[in-house]
């Protein structure tokens, strides 16, 4: 069992995952290729927020509820990461759920926190970006977590949710907006790159105090210290035929997808039929 210098339990994490676990920036993006360990890192950070924050209310957003199950982010939370915390006997336990609300179809669970109360974790889907306004209207949250941010196309998902980070019993810096993502097909045109690279690094920013609240934690396949060389080679082989996707899904580069890259699989399929 891992214990820090102050005698507190913490999960067994790779160094880059530990950087996510220990960050207290307000707006954090974890970017990198597939299987680099970023999602598990984000879920551990989510549970740390749930445990350390009195009466935390956390909203997880996935493109669809279906994508969050069957190996998705909700399955990772309830089947992989949460059991680590429960089995560590460090004080966290499930106090409610996981359940689905009969009227709203909202998936949620509650866990105990270090203050003797409960923290709530909700799973929400967002099929259309502009639905975000109605979904969280008048709500208050202490944290949001967006799973695979590249699946969302409009900056409104960031703008509207950050307005709802407003729990009255918490100081402003106790709130957290967290997301993980593979680089988007749109590359630098995607709002995530505009926010966490262009605007975060801009000189003479009109609001440098806000600019300082943003953090990018970039993952590579090498950051997954538990991945074997054989597994790593399979990923590279999978995208060897497509330079666009290889750059994004193997190296984590925010390159713009080209027409050739978008239709490479279709072109190869057509060529195969012609040879039959």
């Amino acid at each position: 069992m891992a214990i820090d210098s102050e005698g507190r339990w913490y999960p067994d994490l790779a160094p880059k995952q530990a950087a996510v676990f220990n960050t207290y920036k307000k707006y954090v993006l974890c970017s990198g290729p597939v299987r680099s360990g970023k999602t598990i890192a984000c879920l551990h950070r989510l549970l740390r927020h749930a445990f350390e924050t009195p009466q935390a209310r956390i909203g997880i957003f996935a493109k669809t509820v279906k994508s969050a199950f069957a190996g998705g982010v909700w399955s990772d939370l309830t089947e992989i990461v949460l059991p680590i915390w429960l089995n560590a006997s460090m004080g966290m336990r499930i106090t409610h759920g996981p359940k689905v609300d009969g009227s709203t179809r909202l998936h949620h669970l509650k866990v105990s926190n270090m203050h003797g109360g409960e923290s709530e974790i909700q799973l929400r889907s967002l099929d259309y970006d502009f639905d975000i306004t109605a979904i969280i209207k008048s709500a208050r949250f202490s944290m949001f977590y967006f799973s695979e941010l590249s699946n969302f196309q409009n900056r409104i998902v960031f703008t509207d949710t950050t307005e709802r980070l407003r729990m009255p019993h918490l100081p402003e810096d106790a709130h957290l907006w967290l997301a993980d993502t593979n680089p988007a097909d749109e590359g630098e045109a995607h709002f995530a790159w505009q926010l966490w690279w262009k605007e975060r690094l801009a000189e003479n920013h009109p609001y440098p105090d806000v600019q300082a609240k943003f953090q990018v934690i970039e993952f590579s396949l090498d950051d997954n210290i538990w991945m074997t060389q054989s597994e790593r080679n399979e990923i590279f082989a999978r995208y060897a035929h497509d330079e666009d996707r290889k750059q994004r899904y193997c190296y984590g580069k925010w390159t713009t997808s080209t027409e050739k890259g978008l239709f490479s699989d279709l072109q190869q399929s057509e060529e195969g039929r012609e040879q039959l």
Side-chain angles (χ1 to χ4, degrees):
M1 180 167 55
I3 302 294
D4 67 14
S5 59
E6 298 181 8
R8 297 173 301 187
W9 172 86
Y10 66 92
D12 186 16
L13 301 171
K16 189 61 66 71
Q17 292 177 316
V20 180
F21 187 71
N22 291 317
T23 185
Y24 280 92
K25 291 285 188 176
K26 187 173 184 179
Y27 307 117
V28 182
L29 177 67
C30 299
S31 174
V34 295
R35 294 196 62 190
S36 55
K38 56 190 184 296
T39 298
I40 297 299
C42 287
L43 291 173
H44 277 294
R45 183 64 186 88
L46 182 152
L47 289 180
R48 182 173 190 172
H49 179 88
F51 189 65
E52 292 183 346
T53 307
Q55 296 175 280
R57 182 178 297 124
I58 302 168
I60 300 175
F61 275 96
K63 195 62 179 174
T64 64
V65 168
K66 183 178 179 180
S67 69
F69 284 83
V73 66
W74 190 254
S75 295
D76 284 350
L77 173 64
T78 58
E79 298 173 11
I80 299 175
V81 181
L82 182 56
I84 293 174
W85 287 68
L86 300 177
N87 294 332
S89 300
M90 42 68 70
M92 179 178 283
R93 68 185 189 281
I94 296 175
T95 58
H96 179 82
K99 290 188 175 181
V100 183
D101 186 278
S103 58
T104 65
R105 308 303 300 168
L106 178 71
H107 294 261
H108 62 107
L109 65 88
K110 292 183 180 180
V111 296
S112 60
N113 57 49
M114 63 185 291
H115 305 280
E118 292 180 317
S119 293
E120 182 179 10
I121 305 171
Q122 304 175 359
L123 172 66
R124 296 171 178 265
S125 63
L126 187 61
D127 295 327
Y128 303 101
D129 291 359
F130 287 94
D131 287 345
I132 190 68
T133 304
I135 289 174
I136 61 170
K137 186 178 181 179
S138 302
R140 297 181 185 273
F141 285 81
S142 61
M143 176 182 175
F144 286 107
Y145 168 43
F146 274 76
S147 173
E148 195 49 63
L149 191 60
S150 63
N151 286 335
F152 304 92
Q153 304 303 313
N154 196 284
R155 185 166 172 161
I156 193 172
V157 303
F158 175 79
T159 303
D160 276 26
T161 49
T162 55
E163 287 181 351
R164 308 306 173 198
L165 291 174
R166 52 177 192 171
M167 298 291 275
H169 67 288
L170 297 177
E172 186 268 340
D173 60 2
H175 295 79
L176 173 62
W177 198 100
L178 178 66
D180 65 47
T181 191
N182 302 132
D185 290 346
E186 302 91 337
E188 296 179 4
H190 193 274
F191 77 88
W193 191 90
Q194 294 290 315
L195 269 169
W196 275 276
W197 278 271
K198 184 177 180 180
E199 295 182 23
R200 178 178 63 90
L201 300 175
E203 296 182 4
N204 301 316
H205 194 284
Y207 304 103
D209 58 324
V210 177
Q211 188 181 32
K213 297 176 183 180
F214 284 77
Q215 181 182 19
V216 175
I217 301 178
E218 296 188 75
F219 282 73
S220 71
L221 291 179
D222 289 337
D223 289 316
N224 186 344
I225 60 176
W226 295 283
M227 183 184 291
T228 67
Q229 187 60 51
S230 176
E231 291 173 318
R232 188 175 286 106
N233 289 344
E234 282 191 14
I235 294 174
F236 277 95
R238 187 175 303 130
Y239 298 106
H241 70 290
D242 186 333
E243 187 62 28
D244 285 342
R245 281 187 280 185
K246 182 173 73 174
Q247 290 299 315
R248 291 195 301 279
Y249 298 143
C250 296
Y251 296 108
K253 305 296 184 182
W254 283 75
T255 56
T256 304
S257 181
T258 63
E259 184 176 348
K260 179 180 179 181
L262 286 171
F263 294 99
S264 61
D265 287 337
L266 177 61
Q267 290 170 346
Q268 288 198 356
S269 179
E270 292 291 346
E271 291 170 359
R273 281 197 290 267
E274 289 174 0
Q275 294 173 2
L276 294 177

